[in-house]
């Protein structure tokens, strides 16, 4: 049974209005012996924000609920972490009534969320490629497509006078992770939508050289599924091995889902792609750039700090990746 806690009139009114008594009982249970102290603090903090005109007086009950719920969510993460368990967004919502951004919640709890490391890896890659794109193409506009727009590559580059547009997909993997047929199939789908697609990765292992100039979905699916099934069956002991197995299983699902697509496209070199962009008419096709090729392009552009960051993504295990200048809490854009 939850410990008996005295609620303020504003909180009681809010709980009654939205029928949140079960949620608040769950919050009290998580807070344990500190529950009354946390509720008293939340009451004072809510009043302080109202006095400073940061919040409306009519929002006091909701604010108290959010404050105690956030504290309960933090403690839930800490308790689960101590038991070796990952806290999910749905568990936080069910037990505290809070809709939280998990990497940020983990950071507040003093624990690193797995997604935070993946976000950092992606964001280091994004900043490096953005700097390179502006160096290579000069006067361009870039945008990050949002979920709901249909196909969502990591970046779309648009040039005016002459008018052209290409899509870019990043794969910020460790150097030992395979860039498989699944990623190439995704590149073909972007090529079909945008005309020109550029798949840029930090890995050195790629199936690119196993294919001829013309890529077809049928061939990628036929070769890719057996290859990825072999990887997915390997025993995984380390976090990196588990991540690679997860990538392969996700790749199998992607290939199976798109096996009936009748798409095909031309495989082009990054050098030919860049030349065609400078000539004002990007080649229709898919270009693939591997890790060391990307780093060489950054160095040639004088972007040595970005080259070091990309090399770090390639070499450093996910759990050890760190940056003082790039956010890891959320994806850029």
């Amino acid at each position: 049974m939850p410990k008996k806690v005295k609620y303020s009139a504003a909180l009681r009114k809010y709980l009654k209005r939205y029928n949140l008594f079960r949620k608040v009982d769950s919050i009290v249970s998580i807070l344990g012996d500190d529950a009354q102290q946390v509720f008293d603090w939340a009451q004072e903090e809510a009043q302080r924000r109202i006095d400073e005109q940061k919040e409306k007086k009519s929002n006091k009950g909701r604010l108290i609920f959010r404050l105690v719920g956030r504290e309960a969510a933090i403690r839930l993460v800490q308790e689960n972490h101590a038991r070796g368990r990952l806290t999910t967004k749905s568990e936080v919502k069910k037990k505290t009534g809070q809709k939280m951004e998990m990497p940020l919640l983990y950071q507040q709890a003093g624990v690193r969320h797995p997604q935070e490391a993946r976000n950092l890896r992606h964001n280091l890659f994004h900043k490096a490629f953005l700097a390179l794109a502006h160096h290579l193409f000069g006067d361009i506009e870039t945008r990050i497509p949002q979920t709901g727009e249909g196909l969502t590559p990591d970046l779309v580059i648009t040039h005016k006078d002459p008018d052209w547009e290409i899509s870019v997909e990043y794969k910020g993997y460790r150097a030992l992770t395979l860039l498989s047929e699944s990623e190439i199939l995704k590149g073909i789908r972007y090529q079909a939508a945008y005309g020109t697609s550029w798949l840029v990765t930090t890995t050195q292992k790629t199936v690119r050289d196993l294919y001829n100039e013309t890529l077809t979905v049928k061939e990628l699916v036929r070769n890719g599924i057996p290859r990825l099934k072999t990887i997915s069956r390997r025993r995984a002991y380390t976090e990196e091995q588990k991540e690679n197995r997860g990538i392969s299983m996700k790749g199998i699902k992607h290939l199976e889902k798109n096996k009936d697509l009748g798409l095909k496209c031309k495989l082009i070199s990054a050098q030919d792609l860049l030349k065609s962009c400078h000539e004002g008419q990007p080649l229709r096709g898919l270009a693939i750039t591997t890790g060391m090729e990307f780093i060489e392009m950054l160095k040639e552009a004088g972007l040595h700090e970005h080259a070091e960051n990309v090399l770090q993504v390639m070499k450093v295990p996910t759990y050890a990746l760190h940056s003082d200048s790039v956010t890891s809490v959320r994806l850029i854009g």
Side-chain angles (χ1 to χ4, degrees):
M1 290 290 291
K3 186 177 178 180
K4 198 71 175 177
V5 172
K6 293 181 181 178
Y7 305 142
S8 67
L11 176 59
R12 197 178 303 110
K13 182 180 178 181
Y14 181 76
L15 297 176
K16 184 176 180 180
R17 182 177 182 183
Y18 294 99
N19 192 24
L20 293 170
F21 288 101
R22 284 189 178 181
K23 286 286 189 290
V24 84
D25 284 347
S26 177
I27 289 170
V28 170
S29 180
I30 293 170
L31 295 175
D33 294 338
D34 296 335
Q36 187 64 63
Q37 185 179 348
V38 172
F39 274 78
D40 291 344
W41 161 79
Q43 161 79 13
E44 294 172 5
E45 176 63 17
Q47 189 60 52
R48 183 187 67 80
R49 295 186 188 186
I50 291 167
D51 292 342
E52 293 179 359
Q53 297 185 339
K54 293 179 180 178
E55 295 282 350
K56 295 179 181 178
K57 187 177 180 180
S58 58
N59 289 340
K60 188 174 182 179
R62 180 177 66 181
L63 184 55
I64 294 171
F65 181 75
R66 286 184 176 178
L67 288 169
V68 296
R70 186 177 293 114
E71 178 62 25
I74 288 171
R75 297 193 185 197
L76 180 63
V77 168
Q78 291 170 337
E79 289 172 8
N80 282 343
H81 182 72
R83 297 201 301 267
R85 286 187 56 222
L86 188 68
T87 307
T88 64
K89 183 181 287 190
S90 59
E91 183 183 11
V92 171
K93 178 73 173 175
K94 181 180 179 181
K95 292 185 177 180
T96 71
Q98 309 299 306
K99 188 176 180 181
M100 304 291 291
E101 189 175 340
M102 296 310 292
L104 182 59
L105 175 59
Y106 264 66
Q107 191 178 76
Q108 291 169 347
V111 181
R112 196 178 198 197
H113 191 273
Q115 184 62 45
E116 185 181 350
R118 290 192 287 273
N119 287 351
L120 177 57
R121 190 171 57 189
H122 177 97
N123 291 347
L124 285 168
F125 195 112
H126 173 76
K127 293 196 74 173
F129 184 82
L130 211 56
L132 179 64
H134 282 285
H135 172 83
L136 292 173
F137 302 122
D139 187 20
I140 57 171
E141 293 181 2
T142 60
R143 66 182 179 89
I144 300 172
Q146 301 300 307
T147 302
E149 291 185 29
L151 286 175
T152 52
D154 289 315
L155 191 72
V156 173
I157 299 174
T158 305
H159 187 276
K160 298 293 183 184
D161 194 26
D163 292 345
W164 55 260
E165 183 178 68
I166 66 173
S167 65
V168 184
E169 177 74 0
Y170 317 139
K171 288 299 172 186
Y173 294 148
R174 290 284 307 283
L176 45 75
T177 302
L178 177 68
L179 184 83
S180 74
E181 284 83 357
S182 174
E183 286 78 22
I184 294 177
L185 191 152
K186 185 177 285 188
I188 291 179
R189 293 173 65 205
Y190 293 144
Q191 188 276 326
Y194 291 90
T196 303
S197 180
W198 192 2
L199 179 58
V200 189
T201 179
T202 49
T203 182
Q204 283 300 99
K205 294 175 64 177
T206 170
V207 297
R208 176 185 65 181
D209 296 334
L210 301 178
Y211 290 89
N212 297 320
E213 188 176 292
T214 300
L215 297 167
T216 67
V217 169
K218 185 177 180 180
E219 186 180 14
L220 292 174
V221 171
R222 184 176 67 243
N223 297 334
I225 290 179
R227 194 189 318 280
L228 291 174
K229 281 185 176 178
T230 299
I231 296 172
S232 69
R233 293 190 189 108
R234 292 173 186 164
R235 291 188 178 183
Y237 301 101
T238 68
E239 289 301 317
E240 296 296 321
Q241 289 170 339
K242 290 176 183 177
E243 184 174 5
N244 284 343
R245 189 170 67 176
I247 290 170
S248 67
M249 293 173 71
K250 184 177 179 182
I252 292 168
K253 290 180 180 178
H254 180 241
L255 290 171
E256 290 177 338
K257 181 180 178 181
N258 294 281
K259 63 183 180 182
D260 294 325
L261 283 179
L263 297 176
K264 65 179 180 179
C265 82
K266 187 178 179 182
L267 186 61
I268 60 178
S269 71
Q271 290 74 21
D272 288 343
L273 169 61
L274 296 179
K275 182 181 177 182
S276 67
C277 288
H278 290 140
E279 292 173 350
Q281 185 60 54
L283 290 172
R284 293 183 64 84
L286 169 66
I288 301 174
T289 297
T290 61
M292 291 311 299
E293 291 169 346
F294 183 34
I295 287 174
E296 284 305 311
M297 294 176 76
L298 290 167
K299 288 180 177 178
E300 287 175 9
L303 302 169
H304 298 286
E305 184 177 346
H306 286 300
E308 284 300 314
N309 284 340
V310 172
L311 188 62
Q312 185 186 175
V313 173
M314 291 175 67
K315 301 291 185 181
V316 178
T318 303
Y319 62 83
L321 203 59
H322 173 75
S323 174
D324 292 323
S325 59
V326 180
T327 180
S328 62
V329 175
R330 59 180 61 86
L331 291 175
I332 294 174

